[in-house]
Amino acid sequence: MRRYMKAEVNRHDMILTQMGAKIDVINSYMCYVTFDLDGTKISYVYNVNKNNKYFLERIEPYPEPAGTFKSEEDVIETIKIDIEQFKNAKNSRVFDLFVEINKEMSKTIRNFEDLYLYYNVPRECADSIKSKIKEIQDIIKEAKNNCKRVYFKKDPETL
Amino acid sequence: MLTNSHVYIAAIVFILTYAFIISEKINRTAVALLGAAIMLGLKVISQEYAFESIDFNTIGLLIGMMIIVTITKRTGVFQYIAIKSAKLAKGDPWKIILSFSIITAISSALLDNVTTVLLIAPVTLVITDTLNLNPIPFLLPEILSANIGGTATLIGDPPNIMIGSATGLGFLDFLFNLGPVVVIIFIVVIFILKLIYGKELSVDEEHKKHIMDFDEYKAIKDYALLRKSLIVLGLTIIGFTLHQIFEFESATVALIGASVLLVLSKINPEEILIELEWTTIFFFAGLFILVGALEEVGIIEAIAEKVVFLTKGNLFLTTLMIIWVSAIASAFIDNIPFVATMIPLIKSIGAMSNINVIPLWWALALGACLGGNGSLVGASANVIVAGMLEKTKYRLTFIDFIKVGFPIMIISILISTAYLIVFYI
């Protein structure tokens, strides 16, 4: 199996090199982590490599990059908190809606990227999208002030 | 103290192990190691004898060359050579097939076949994709060339490494005795491939231009490492040509080259060692123990007696039998276990009949290496390319391969037979 992977890497290497890329092939371990929270699958993927950089991403129930960490303890801690929060969130009556909204937001980012990269988008259109996003952000901030906080082990990073 | 039951156990374990290796139902390395472990567990052989049976010259040579190649390929030199050749061919399909076949044959003579194919096939897939062509007419000649080129030298193919190690025949012995016939076979095969693929492929100017747009210099990743690698590889090959004069085993030469390059490259050895084909190394170790057990209980000697009885100690008949049986067997089963078994057998034949066994070694090398071209499962290089194609929209089937490979294998063995008759028997 490793032979085929090597051959595949060699092929990618040549294509990308000819496109002008610099490629570093690093031996690493890819870890797939899955939790089953009463029927809801929460999955993560992270990469352990010799450079001590850990790329963590939540892939289910919706994709969300969690960033780069300097140690495996940080990765485990992030997953631990995330799972605790999801366990908590599962008790909410609007959990399904929460997942649905996040999926829609991810889809919206892709939609906007396609719009911008495939079409010549006028300034007014971009401004209009930006103002709608601002509206959503304001709703979130307003809700934060009016809703009861339920998780205290860690403070929110973006609110 | 060996008993009749040890003989039966050794024979049964050996036959079952080989049956599982051929069936490919279980990983071949796992089966070989299990077979060896059973021989030990049932006290057919002692642990001491088992370890003595492992040919560490073969193992050391394989490891040494794997280290040198693993470091050298990081420089991108193989990609550079392939792109340069494709550009020199100006995108002409047949000229690319020809130049890639020559590169593969020469590389395969100096490196092992599997490594050569792992380096050339990915580049070929990118080139054929750029030319919008079916890659099979390119890859099939490369496989055939890898197996033919590997036949020419001591280090080109594992059967030759094993034969060289067991007999003391050196790099120059292989080169001078097998090199000429390999060159003839390669030229004949190229002529046949030209008839098959020469007119079949055409490319428009637009696609040829894409090939000319490739920049071979982008492929070189580390010029300093490239210089060091090529110097060490060159010196190692010179070392192989001189190893008999200085009374060095071939593994010593390879391991000196490998360790010097490891130090000069300044790459963490862990990164290089993890890339080695350890499953192949352990497969060899398991096979050596299995065959060692057969020798210990006297089975090899008994078979040799039968062979000598059948051929009446006639060199002509024995040579012909070995080359053709090796070729047909190697076309359908792994040639490594086959050769591992044949080596002690030929030694015993030599001891019993007093015939000159040197032609028998050349017959075994030619049959086992060239036989790999007979079918898709005949050599690891063939299987790897077929596996790589499975990720594309093209398929290299057993029948597709045998239609081209088997006749070419038969022609190669006919030429080899004529060569052996004229010059050796």
Side-chain angles (χ1 to χ4, degrees), chain A residues 1-8 10-15 17-20 23 25 27 29 50, chain B residues 73 79 83 114 118 122-123 125-126 214-215 218 221 271 274-275 277 280 383-384 387-388 391:
Chain A
M1 196 59 209
R2 198 170 169 86
R3 284 172 172 175
Y4 295 114
M5 290 194 293
K6 277 187 202 169
E8 195 66 15
N10 287 347
R11 195 165 71 86
H12 294 182
D13 185 298
M14 180 171 168
I15 296 169
T17 302
Q18 289 304 316
M19 283 165 60
I23 303 138
V25 181
N27 273 306
Y29 288 101
K50 61 165 186 163
Chain B
K73 77 178 179 190
Q79 241 182 58
I83 294 172
V114 171
L118 281 174
V123 181
L125 285 171
V126 177
F214 279 153
D215 182 355
K218 280 183 182 170
K221 296 185 190 310
E271 272 185 53
I274 201 171
E275 293 292 322
E277 301 272 347
T280 305
V383 180
I384 284 169
M388 283 168 68
K391 288 200 168 185

Side-chain angles (χ1 to χ4, degrees), chain B residues 148-275:
Chain B
I148 294 169
T151 312
T153 65
L154 168 74
I155 54 173
D157 210 351
N160 287 6
I161 296 177
M162 292 156 80
I163 294 168
S165 184
T167 59
L169 291 165
F171 188 86
L172 291 180
D173 293 321
F174 276 85
L175 191 65
F176 291 149
N177 287 284
L178 299 182
V181 69
V182 165
V183 171
I184 293 165
I185 291 167
F186 183 68
I187 293 167
V188 171
V189 169
I190 288 293
F191 181 72
I192 296 168
L193 291 170
K194 168 84 175 160
L195 292 177
I196 299 171
Y197 299 119
K199 287 177 185 166
E200 187 187 300
L201 305 161
S202 65
V203 177
D204 57 45
E205 290 305 316
E206 182 62 27
H207 284 97
K208 283 183 183 174
K209 192 181 163 297
H210 291 323
I211 294 291
M212 300 311 285
D213 288 340
F214 279 153
D215 182 355
E216 62 272 31
Y217 293 99
K218 280 183 182 170
I220 303 291
K221 296 185 190 310
D222 186 337
Y223 281 94
L225 183 62
L226 176 66
R227 275 192 295 276
K228 291 171 190 171
S229 301
L230 292 184
I231 289 169
V232 172
L233 183 62
L235 288 174
T236 307
I237 289 165
I238 292 170
F240 284 130
T241 64
L242 302 173
H243 77 108
Q244 285 168 299
I245 297 170
F246 292 104
E247 295 181 349
F248 283 126
E249 290 285 355
S250 48
T252 308
V253 175
L255 288 170
I256 290 173
S259 48
V260 168
L261 191 54
L262 262 180
V263 172
L264 290 179
S265 71
K266 295 177 186 161
I267 302 170
N268 184 347
E270 193 181 45
E271 272 185 53
I272 302 302
L273 295 179
I274 201 171
E275 293 292 322

Side-chain angles (χ1 to χ4, degrees), chain B residues 24 47 87 208 213 239 309 354 357 385:
Chain B
E24 294 181 354
Q47 181 179 298
K87 285 175 78 170
K208 283 183 183 174
D213 288 340
F309 177 76
N354 288 323
V357 288
V385 169

Side-chain angles (χ1 to χ4, degrees), chain B residues 42-230:
Chain B
L42 296 179
K43 298 199 169 178
V44 176
I45 46 170
S46 66
Q47 181 179 298
E48 193 185 0
Y49 182 83
F51 287 176
E52 276 173 18
S53 304
I54 298 173
D55 181 353
F56 284 100
N57 186 47
T58 295
I59 304 259
L61 180 52
L62 283 168
I63 291 175
M65 289 310 290
M66 282 177 188
I67 291 172
I68 294 173
V69 173
T70 303
I71 296 175
T72 306
K73 77 178 179 190
R74 286 183 164 221
T75 64
V77 64
F78 300 103
Q79 241 182 58
Y80 171 89
I81 294 169
I83 294 172
K84 187 84 184 166
S85 317
K87 285 175 78 170
L88 284 172
K90 295 189 166 49
D92 180 273
W94 168 250
K95 285 182 184 164
I96 294 176
I97 292 175
L98 180 64
S99 56
F100 278 23
S101 297
I102 294 170
I103 292 169
T104 309
I106 295 171
S107 305
S108 183
L110 302 176
L111 318 172
D112 79 278
N113 299 352
V114 171
T115 306
T116 305
V117 162
L118 281 174
L119 291 168
I120 198 85
V123 181
T124 306
L125 285 171
V126 177
I127 299 276
T128 53
D129 200 35
T130 308
L131 291 171
N132 197 24
L133 287 174
N134 180 349
I136 292 173
F138 292 75
L139 291 171
L140 224 151
E142 286 170 15
I143 298 171
L144 300 172
S145 304
N147 292 327
I148 294 169
T151 312
T153 65
L154 168 74
I155 54 173
D157 210 351
N160 287 6
I161 296 177
M162 292 156 80
I163 294 168
S165 184
T167 59
L169 291 165
F171 188 86
L172 291 180
D173 293 321
F174 276 85
L175 191 65
F176 291 149
N177 287 284
L178 299 182
V181 69
V182 165
V183 171
I184 293 165
I185 291 167
F186 183 68
I187 293 167
V188 171
V189 169
I190 288 293
F191 181 72
I192 296 168
L193 291 170
K194 168 84 175 160
L195 292 177
I196 299 171
Y197 299 119
K199 287 177 185 166
E200 187 187 300
L201 305 161
S202 65
V203 177
D204 57 45
E205 290 305 316
E206 182 62 27
H207 284 97
K208 283 183 183 174
K209 192 181 163 297
H210 291 323
I211 294 291
M212 300 311 285
D213 288 340
F214 279 153
D215 182 355
E216 62 272 31
Y217 293 99
K218 280 183 182 170
I220 303 291
K221 296 185 190 310
D222 186 337
Y223 281 94
L225 183 62
L226 176 66
R227 275 192 295 276
K228 291 171 190 171
S229 301
L230 292 184

Side-chain angles (χ1 to χ4, degrees), chain A residues 25-73:
Chain A
V25 181
I26 299 166
N27 273 306
S28 72
Y29 288 101
M30 183 77 92
C31 305
Y32 285 93
V33 185
T34 304
F35 294 89
D36 188 341
L37 301 186
D38 301 327
T40 302
K41 206 190 249 186
I42 316 287
S43 305
Y44 305 87
V45 60
Y46 70 95
N47 184 289
V48 182
N49 58 59
K50 61 165 186 163
N51 297 336
N52 282 335
K53 276 187 181 172
Y54 299 83
F55 307 104
L56 174 67
E57 182 169 353
R58 191 196 309 115
I59 47 177
E60 280 185 289
Y62 52 88
E64 176 76 30
T68 308
F69 301 88
K70 280 187 180 167
S71 78
E72 64 269 40
E73 283 80 16

